C-alpha cells in the first residue's frame, strides 16, 4: 500500500481531504514514524503493510490532539513493542 492509498482511505473514513492527509504523511518527521519497505529503486515509493493504515490513523489523531513529534515517536515505539517488533531484550528491531 502506498502513502497515497493510505491517505485516500483515511480521507474516506474521516471525511477529510486526501491531499492534506497525504501531505502530512509525506512530512519526513511523520513519515519516519511509519514502517514501510523501500521501493525497488531510490526514487520508487515505499510499500506499507495494511497495519500501517491503523498506525497512521492513530498517530494523526494524536497529532491533532496536540502531541509533539517526540511524543508521537514514543507512541510509535510502544506500538512496535506491542505488536512484537522487538527482540528478546526489548530493543526495537
Amino acid at each position: 500500500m502506498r502513502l497515497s492509498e493510505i491517505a485516500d482511505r483515511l480521507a474516506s473514513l474521516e471525511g477529510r481531504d486526501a491531499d492534506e492527509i497525504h501531505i502530512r504523511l509525506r512530512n519526513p518527521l511523520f513519515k519516519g514514524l511509519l514502517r514501510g519497505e523501500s521501493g525497488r529503486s531510490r526514487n520508487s515509493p515505499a510499500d506499507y503493510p495494511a497495519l500501517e493504515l491503523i498506525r497512521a490513523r492513530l498517530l494523526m489523531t494524536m497529532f491533532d490532539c496536540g502531541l509533539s513529534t517526540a511524543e508521537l515517536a514514543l507512541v510509535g515505539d510502544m506500538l512496535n513493542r506491542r505488536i512484537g517488533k522487538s527482540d528478546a531484550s526489548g530493543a526495537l528491531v
Side-chain angles (χ1 to χ4, degrees):
M1 175 178 292
R2 305 279 195 254
L3 282 181
S4 60
E5 294 170 311
I6 292 174
D8 289 340
R9 291 190 183 189
L10 290 177
S12 67
L13 289 170
E14 298 180 5
R16 296 169 68 174
D17 182 62
D19 290 335
E20 288 179 19
I21 293 172
H22 192 216
I23 289 167
R24 182 180 297 176
L25 294 177
R26 288 179 53 210
N27 179 304
L29 296 174
F30 201 95
K31 187 176 178 181
L33 300 173
L34 302 175
R35 305 289 180 240
E37 294 182 16
S38 298
R40 293 184 180 159
S41 70
R42 193 173 132 263
N43 295 325
S44 298
D47 281 317
Y48 297 87
L51 185 62
E52 293 307 291
L53 176 65
I54 298 167
R55 182 190 306 265
R57 189 167 190 199
L58 289 171
L59 293 172
M60 284 183 50
T61 300
M62 291 177 206
F63 179 82
D64 290 341
C65 290
L67 266 66
S68 69
T69 304
E71 291 167 327
L72 291 176
L74 178 62
V75 170
D77 288 344
M78 287 189 277
L79 289 171
N80 287 339
R81 284 191 201 103
R82 181 68 182 131
I83 60 172
K85 299 243 185 207
S86 60
D87 64 17
S89 71
L92 296 177
V93 293

